[in-house]
Amino acid sequence: MAGPSGALLLGADLIKDLQRLLAAYDDKRGVTAEFNKNILRRINHDLNANFDVDDGFKHRAIFNERLSRIEMQLVACREQTVNVAGEKMDFHRGEVIHTENSHKYSEQSIAELASAADMEIHRVWKDPQGDFGVFLLGQK
């Protein structure tokens, strides 16, 4: 709780057009795919693993409408066995490693979250496109 005179400043990525949202998380240049696959590179480096980063997994981004979030995944391209920290892990073709959630919010969903914390929105600032919001929350 913020206390009787306290406040919370919260930044939130706002819900936007689905095609635009998916294009941002699955860009044509593959920047996001490389970012996503970097987790396998880190596991290879830090845990002495042998993921085939380039050909073993492909990047996929989907929008989970029920949870209002982008889910980034790595999907196995073939049957494979990977060694991680001395343990063998079998992956079947199509098996998914869920790597990231990027939640999207509406002003209403922020108001509901605030209310659950006995707070309310006192002020909102949005960028001109309405892609991002900054919310000043305070006590009811």
Side-chain angles (χ1 to χ4, degrees), residues 23-27 29-37 59 61 72:
Y25 286 88
D26 197 8
D27 59 286
R29 290 182 37 214
V31 173
T32 308
E34 283 305 305
F35 175 82
N36 196 16
K37 286 182 172 186
H59 164 75
M72 291 202 337

Side-chain angles (χ1 to χ4, degrees), residues 67-88:
L67 298 174
S68 191
R69 70 184 187 195
I70 286 284
E71 296 177 358
M72 291 202 337
Q73 306 171 342
L74 293 170
V75 182
C77 296
R78 63 182 187 289
E79 303 283 323
Q80 53 194 298
T81 299
V82 178
N83 292 302
V84 179
E87 299 290 326
K88 288 186 178 187

Side-chain angles (χ1 to χ4, degrees), residues 37 52-59 74-80 91-96:
K37 286 182 172 186
D52 179 355
V53 177
D54 297 322
D55 298 318
F57 291 84
K58 66 180 178 184
H59 164 75
L74 293 170
V75 182
C77 296
R78 63 182 187 289
E79 303 283 323
Q80 53 194 298
F91 289 92
H92 302 286
R93 182 171 196 240
E95 192 166 354
V96 172

Side-chain angles (χ1 to χ4, degrees), residues 1-12 106-125 134-140:
M1 292 187 52
S5 61
L8 173 69
L9 194 61
L10 174 72
S106 65
E107 193 167 330
Q108 178 62 35
S109 65
I110 295 293
E112 291 168 5
L113 288 170
S115 182
D118 203 29
M119 301 178 87
E120 64 186 1
I121 298 173
H122 286 195
R123 187 142 184 221
V124 179
W125 298 269
V134 177
F135 298 81
L136 180 62
L137 308 178
Q139 297 301 306
K140 289 183 179 181

Side-chain angles (χ1 to χ4, degrees), residues 29-49:
R29 290 182 37 214
V31 173
T32 308
E34 283 305 305
F35 175 82
N36 196 16
K37 286 182 172 186
N38 191 54
I39 193 164
L40 299 180
R41 289 184 185 91
R42 293 302 316 165
I43 294 169
N44 282 350
H45 180 267
D46 296 344
L47 298 175
N48 196 30

